[in-house]
Amino acid sequence: MTRRVAVIGGGSSGLASIKTCLDEGLQPVCFESSDDIGGLWKFKENPEADRASIYQSVIINTSKEVMCFSDFPIPAHYPNYMHNSLIVDYFRMFADRFQLTRHIRFNTKVLQVKQRSDFSRSGQWDVETENKDGEKEKHIFDAVMICIGHHCHPNLPLHDFPGIDSFTGKFFHSRDYKTADEWRHKKAVVIGIGNSGGDIAVELSRVTKQVYLSTRRGAWILNRVSDNGLPRDMLNTRMAIFMRHVLPFGLSCGAAERKVSRRFDHSLYNLKPAHRYGGADQHPTVNDELPNRILSGTVQVKPNIRRFQGSSVEFDDGSVVEDVDLVVFATGYRFSFPFLASHVVSVSENKASLYKYVFPPELDRPTLAIIGLVQPLGAIMPISEMQARWATRVFKGELLLPTASSPEIRRIQRHTIQVDYISYMDEIAELVGVRPSLPRLLLTDPRLGLNLMFGPCTPYQYRLRGPGKWAGARQAIFTQWERVARPMQTRPCHDPKPERSLKWLLVVAAAAVVLFINKCLLN
């Protein structure tokens, strides 16, 4: 019988999981609590409980060639960094192309997922759901893929901010921020310098009287627009990763820090963190506009907040700002799985024990996978897809996991969800059998091999061989730079052609003859 797989969530990870199940001959049933696909990227004016929520202006920080699904390139005319509405449009194209929505039950919430009484033998799960009319239903599945992400439950540490109860202005988590319109000519404080904190501070600074950006640790700030105006992540290559691994940590960090500081001195701007670039648990922040807003004075960088009192905010350096109207807590999220028993996946302080960020290590049968619970320095969509390709083959028994007592499993400790895009993709691709073989390609197809070594690590590379091989992968790699350039070719632009004249050649020749004659006469 065909194995039935429950897919929980219809965002990017859920769509990738549905398609991968179909590719592997499994029967997916996706439960999506809202009325549409898109997950995090589906903008709604009013945040819904237990669901991700974004502000209206969100533009993704990863470029289209790096973030696309590996056998479905984003249309060439789409911008390199896409607005959230275009991302949802792309997801819809993807779902239509592979007929995914017929496998989704919308407006259906998952209430409980638990092991069946014979789980150690069957590996099956009981799944209880509830539709929008309050009707509950019980299902039996051979495997479960949890694809709910990690942006559902806001982290709002009010206990760390004495006097917040006395604050006379308005405060909320960045999840509840939508637009800057209502804060025109007001004073705002944004707490946190991650991607959301930086974006919201910049957006508010265009209309408010003043924005204060409070950060305990500072951050390294990266641009979307990199050398020669190219997307930053298109310049992240396997060769760059290799050099970071072979060079001493301090040397590679120093080179990276000098590069990001050439745009602006992080110390001068009061943003330089205590940790080295690439160190600690904090990823760099991607924001092209923040330095300009600081330079123009519309954003002031401040240390951590000491206390609130009425409408005033006192910072750790003793400075006080009066008449504050708004405080936005861009303080991150907590992830959890409320429909799962805690012994199945234990989460504590945003850390979980998962084998390679996917499989709970203590289960008797590997029939539950967490898809997309990572925070990469890079794109999440291809990672979720790669995890799903691995998980479905494990479900089918074509790939095996280490036993719960094996040394590899015992070495797993609770870890944060941050990973490096290329290293992690290669690690999982090796397990699936789809990691490109650079030595072989350099011998048999040197043009392709050099492209993979020195070019961007786009997802098409993982469709060149092995299960799920796609005939269009090689061509997609060779045309990726054309798709980068296409959306910017919006007007004719002809470089002036150099004049083909012998004038300068004749002048140089004449001068040489004169020097030669003078030298002869002197002799």
Side-chain angles (χ1 to χ4, degrees):
M1 293 178 61
T2 302
R3 292 179 174 87
R4 297 180 74 235
V5 180
V7 177
I8 303 175
S12 60
S13 299
L15 293 175
S17 296
I18 298 169
K19 179 181 180 292
T20 306
C21 283
L22 296 173
D23 290 345
E24 292 293 339
L26 303 174
Q27 182 182 339
V29 179
C30 176
F31 300 107
E32 167 54 43
S33 61
S34 77
D35 59 358
D36 201 359
I37 62 173
L40 169 70
W41 298 102
K42 179 68 176 179
F43 172 76
K44 291 191 174 183
E45 290 284 352
N46 299 308
E48 299 173 351
D50 300 324
R51 291 186 52 78
S53 179
I54 56 173
Y55 38 99
Q56 194 277 331
S57 62
V58 168
I59 292 175
I60 197 166
N61 285 331
T62 51
S63 68
K64 66 177 182 180
E65 289 298 300
V66 177
M67 65 162 271
C68 69
F69 296 116
S70 59
D71 57 355
F72 194 71
I74 292 173
H77 67 279
Y78 272 40
N80 285 282
Y81 290 105
M82 294 156 56
H83 183 262
N84 59 83
S85 60
L86 292 178
I87 295 173
V88 175
D89 287 348
Y90 169 65
F91 289 164
R92 216 173 299 285
M93 292 179 212
F94 180 71
D96 291 345
R97 168 66 179 81
F98 298 106
Q99 301 182 13
L100 305 182
T101 51
R102 65 173 61 179
H103 302 279
I104 304 177
R105 298 190 186 184
F106 292 105
N107 297 305
T108 304
K109 182 179 181 179
V110 173
L111 300 177
Q112 188 177 53
V113 176
K114 66 177 183 178
Q115 298 154 286
R116 305 208 78 209
S117 58
D118 64 346
F119 179 81
S120 60
R121 178 183 60 82
S122 68
Q124 291 182 325
W125 298 84
D126 286 320
V127 177
E128 184 180 8
T129 61
E130 181 180 37
N131 65 21
K132 63 179 179 179
D133 299 320
E135 298 170 341
K136 296 181 180 179
E137 189 176 356
K138 292 186 177 181
H139 319 260
I140 299 173
F141 286 99
D142 299 295
V144 176
M145 305 175 83
I146 299 176
C147 311
I148 62 173
H150 52 90
H151 291 96
C152 295
H153 308 291
N155 177 43
L156 196 59
L158 298 182
H159 57 275
D160 291 337
F161 296 90
I164 187 65
D165 292 338
S166 72
F167 181 58
T168 57
K170 188 173 182 179
F171 68 87
F172 49 73
H173 190 270
S174 57
R175 177 182 183 273
D176 297 312
Y177 173 83
K178 295 300 172 183
T179 69
D181 297 341
E182 64 178 294
W183 304 107
R184 189 171 299 276
H185 307 309
K186 306 289 187 180
K187 284 185 183 179
V189 174
V190 177
I191 302 172
I193 199 173
N195 290 327
S196 294
D199 281 351
I200 292 171
V202 165
E203 183 165 291
L204 284 170
S205 72
R206 298 193 184 102
V207 301
T208 54
K209 181 185 298 184
Q210 183 66 57
V211 171
Y212 301 91
L213 179 56
S214 171
T215 171
R216 287 184 303 167
R217 299 192 295 177
W220 297 106
I221 309 296
L222 301 182
N223 284 15
R224 289 185 181 94
V225 183
S226 190
D227 299 346
N228 300 311
L230 297 174
R232 176 186 58 84
D233 51 9
M234 289 291 281
L235 303 182
N236 192 25
T237 67
R238 280 195 169 82
M239 179 53 68
I241 293 291
F242 172 77
M243 294 304 295
R244 285 205 293 269
H245 286 164
V246 299
L247 291 175
F249 179 74
L251 186 62
S252 62
C253 284
E257 290 164 9
R258 285 191 295 274
K259 182 176 177 64
V260 299
S261 292
R262 274 199 292 270
R263 182 179 178 226
F264 72 95
D265 185 330
H266 282 57
S267 296
L268 180 63
Y269 281 62
N270 283 317
L271 288 173
K272 186 174 181 179
H275 65 266
R276 303 298 303 272
Y277 184 97
D281 291 331
Q282 189 181 25
H283 276 166
T285 294
V286 180
N287 196 303
D288 291 74
E289 298 182 68
L290 182 58
N292 179 56
R293 307 310 293 183
I294 296 172
L295 194 63
S296 62
T298 55
V299 172
Q300 287 187 24
V301 179
K302 304 293 283 185
N304 196 41
I305 292 173
R306 179 178 294 168
R307 67 173 63 89
F308 289 89
Q309 187 171 1
S311 65
S312 68
V313 179
E314 181 182 351
F315 298 92
D316 278 349
D317 61 356
S319 61
V320 177
V321 175
E322 306 282 356
D323 303 321
V324 174
D325 302 285
L326 169 67
V327 176
V328 180
F329 286 85
T331 44
Y333 293 82
R334 298 174 290 103
F335 65 86
S336 64
F337 308 102
F339 46 77
L340 273 179
S342 60
H343 70 271
V344 177
V345 178
S346 176
V347 178
S348 176
E349 297 180 353
N350 264 19
K351 295 182 180 181
S353 296
L354 294 170
Y355 179 60
K356 298 191 183 299
Y357 300 88
V358 176
F359 287 100
E362 301 297 332
L363 291 181
D364 294 333
R365 302 291 295 272
T367 56
L368 183 139
I370 312 296
I371 306 298
L373 187 68
V374 291
Q375 188 170 340
L377 185 57
I380 180 63
M381 292 77 167
I383 287 181
S384 293
E385 181 188 49
M386 184 62 69
Q387 290 177 329
R389 293 172 72 182
W390 178 39
T392 49
R393 294 183 67 77
V394 170
F395 294 162
K396 292 172 64 178
E398 296 184 4
L399 296 174
L400 300 178
L401 300 184
T403 63
S405 60
S406 69
E408 186 174 2
I409 293 292
R410 287 202 303 268
R411 282 196 298 269
I412 295 178
Q413 297 181 0
R414 295 188 183 278
H415 51 63
T416 60
I417 58 177
Q418 297 186 105
V419 298
D420 178 81
Y421 171 75
I422 296 179
S423 300
Y424 183 71
M425 284 285 283
D426 278 353
E427 181 181 350
I428 305 303
E430 183 73 29
L431 299 173
V432 182
V434 297
R435 180 177 178 175
S437 173
L438 289 181
R440 183 178 64 82
L441 286 174
L442 288 170
L443 291 174
T444 61
D445 193 344
R447 180 187 172 203
L448 181 60
L450 290 171
N451 205 307
L452 266 59
M453 181 177 291
F454 295 100
C457 189
T458 45
Y460 322 119
Q461 299 185 8
Y462 302 100
R463 293 283 182 178
L464 291 168
R465 60 186 285 261
K469 179 180 178 180
W470 174 44
R474 186 176 186 274
Q475 181 64 16
I477 292 170
F478 287 140
T479 55
Q480 57 197 3
W481 287 109
E482 296 174 19
R483 289 188 295 277
V484 169
R486 170 72 181 279
M488 294 180 284
Q489 306 304 305
T490 53
R491 63 174 285 270
C493 185
H494 303 292
D495 293 331
K497 295 181 179 179
E499 296 183 8
R500 297 195 174 190
S501 173
L502 296 178
K503 181 176 69 174
W504 288 107
L505 180 62
L506 293 175
V507 170
V508 171
V513 170
V514 169
L515 289 173
F516 177 75
I517 293 173
N518 285 340
K519 184 176 181 181
C520 291
L521 292 174
L522 290 173
N523 291 336

